[in-house]
Amino acid sequence: MANEDDVISIADHLNAVRLQVAAYEKKYRRPSHSVTLLAVSKQQSVEHILQAVQAGQLMFGENYWQEARPKLAALQAYPIEWHFIGPLQANKTQKIAEHFAWVHSVDSEKLARRLSEQRPAHLPPLNVCLQVNLDGEASKSGVSIEEAPILAAKMACLPRLMFRGLMCIPRPGQHVTQQRQVFHRLSILYLALKTQFPSLDTLSMGMSQDYEAAIAEGATCIRIGK
Ligand SMILES: *Cc1c(COP(=O)(O)O)cnc(C)c1O
């Protein structure tokens, strides 16, 4: 069982991140509350997620179905919004379409079609982001900046998906300046696509090591694990 120290430390940590986000919104002249915090709960126990829920956090990200499955089942009674942020495999799309509200990591037409076809009729359309690979050949997930508009157009047409935005997981950069240059490229693409696809409102970028740079470059959703 979790003891009281755990409760305090998770609530304190969440509050510290929230305060830091608010400070960066101010520093970079972003409207207050324009950045939402997605708590990445991978490798966290059900008890710890529950402590975060009790501290007011309701958006959680998981990156493997096998790991997420027992947690989602155990936490069914809570109004949690689950986001799938990990690598998508064709044989897991059904479960993900059934159990998650969002998928940030769509990077092929085939996966997008499967998610749309498998989204249960009684649920609202699945919110999806297109994952863009900003590092070229260095990472496998995500489409290139050049390919993104083509896949975006296809995703926007799928009836059971709601195309919400773009996501990236860049290679860790050393300094804020360097990190900003990378995020800036996704931000430019996002603003260009937004004129074409009015449903876009989400720029999912920034993790614990680089969320200052992401907020500076217009992130609307940061994904924080630590
Ligand atoms: C683990 C993970 C995060 C959180 O990373 P931290 O460095 O722990 O903040 C964010 N996004 C994705 C896709 C992840 O897999």
Side-chain angles (χ1 to χ4, degrees), residues 79-218:
I80 294 175
E81 184 179 80
W82 291 103
H83 292 233
F84 190 83
I85 60 175
L88 276 172
Q89 294 165 283
N91 63 351
K92 300 291 187 318
T93 52
Q94 171 118 34
K95 292 294 178 197
I96 290 163
E98 287 171 1
H99 291 93
F100 284 79
W102 283 74
V103 177
H104 290 229
S105 44
V106 179
D107 66 355
S108 81
E109 184 183 358
K110 177 187 164 198
L111 292 167
R113 281 191 188 287
R114 287 178 72 93
L115 289 169
S116 180
E117 283 160 11
Q118 294 167 340
R119 180 67 168 171
H122 69 277
L123 294 175
L126 181 64
N127 298 294
V128 291
C129 293
L130 166 52
Q131 184 175 348
V132 179
N133 175 355
L134 300 169
D135 299 322
E137 287 171 17
S139 75
K140 283 178 259 127
S141 298
V143 299
S144 67
I145 292 224
E146 293 72 31
E147 296 164 316
I150 302 158
L151 181 53
K154 289 177 174 154
M155 283 164 68
C157 293
L158 291 169
R160 300 292 294 141
L161 301 186
M162 180 67 77
F163 180 35
R164 298 292 293 269
L166 301 179
M167 183 273 235
C168 69
I169 315 174
R171 231 181 330 203
Q174 294 304 314
H175 307 290
V176 174
T177 329
Q178 195 186 336
Q179 294 165 353
R180 281 189 67 166
Q181 286 170 357
V182 178
F183 288 136
H184 187 69
R185 292 161 52 212
L186 195 67
S187 190
I188 296 287
L189 175 65
Y190 173 69
L191 294 174
L193 289 177
K194 215 166 138 71
T195 62
Q196 210 181 331
F197 305 105
S199 61
L200 291 200
D201 60 5
T202 302
L203 188 50
S204 168
M205 60 184 195
M207 322 204 312
S208 42
Q209 296 310 310
D210 56 13
Y211 70 96
E212 173 173 359
I215 291 172
E217 293 300 333

Side-chain angles (χ1 to χ4, degrees), residues 38-65:
L38 177 63
V40 177
S41 48
K42 68 179 186 213
Q43 292 160 18
Q44 299 284 351
S45 65
V46 167
E47 284 90 325
H48 283 170
I49 299 172
L50 206 43
Q51 287 164 24
V53 170
Q54 277 150 6
Q57 179 67 33
L58 290 175
M59 287 168 57
F60 291 92
E62 286 285 336
N63 65 344
Y64 290 103
W65 167 246

